[in-house]
Amino acid sequence: MEQEQEQEQPDRIADGLSIMHALARALGTRYSERTPQWTDLGFPVIDRGRHAIFPLAVAPVREAGAPVGGGRLSEMRDGLRRSCVHHFGGDDFHAEMELDAEEGYGRKLADAGAVVTGPPWQCLWGIQRFAVVLAHGVGHEGAVETLALHVVPMDWVRYRPLNAGTKREAARHRRILGERDAADAVWSWPLDAPDA
């Protein structure tokens, strides 16, 4: 009986608020075109070059047919969302934005099993050229739910043309869409060993 309860508890991997503060220090100190070395932040990370996924927790799904978004990690997700609003936006100004589940990176997350909990279904915070997305998901097999921070280029979620209408801007937009569409939003724990 005690072993069953132990197995049902979420496996906390990293502290989301600590990661957010580290990202704010690393990304927000100065505007740079360089993508940081994600592993230098000192947290478990899935480094995918231009974007990264910071795993926060995993837990077995309570039971098949349980309400979507009502899993073991929903309380952790909601607490982190409130803390991020407090530290990175709040009161009369909110730094968080909504991410649409029907298009762009939101669609990638939905396809990867993100839990849609109602508007804003996913919160994201902008730090210079990057967006940090709090993503709560359930694997396609339905056995495990996950919580992670996805750090992606801001253009993947909020495209802002530099010189609208030019050929160069059209090419830039195609490149951004190609990078975003090729991105992999799926992850599992424990992390797979890097290919040798």
Side-chain angles (χ1 to χ4, degrees), residues 104-185:
Y105 197 73
R107 178 82 250 155
K108 300 237 13 127
L109 287 173
D111 290 346
V115 175
V116 179
T117 57
W121 78 274
Q122 294 289 2
C123 279
L124 64 96
W125 293 270
I127 304 174
Q128 296 290 358
R129 297 179 308 108
F130 291 91
V132 181
V133 183
L134 176 59
H136 179 194
V138 175
H140 290 293
E141 67 285 343
V144 176
E145 62 177 317
T146 61
L147 190 63
L149 291 171
H150 291 241
V151 184
V152 300
M154 182 61 82
D155 285 337
W156 290 10
V157 295
R158 294 286 185 267
Y159 173 67
R160 294 183 190 102
L162 298 174
N163 298 305
T166 65
K167 287 183 182 180
R168 177 176 280 173
E169 190 58 39
R172 177 179 175 263
H173 189 231
R174 283 191 303 273
R175 179 184 52 77
I176 290 166
L177 292 179
E179 287 175 351
R180 183 199 67 204
D181 292 345
D184 185 3

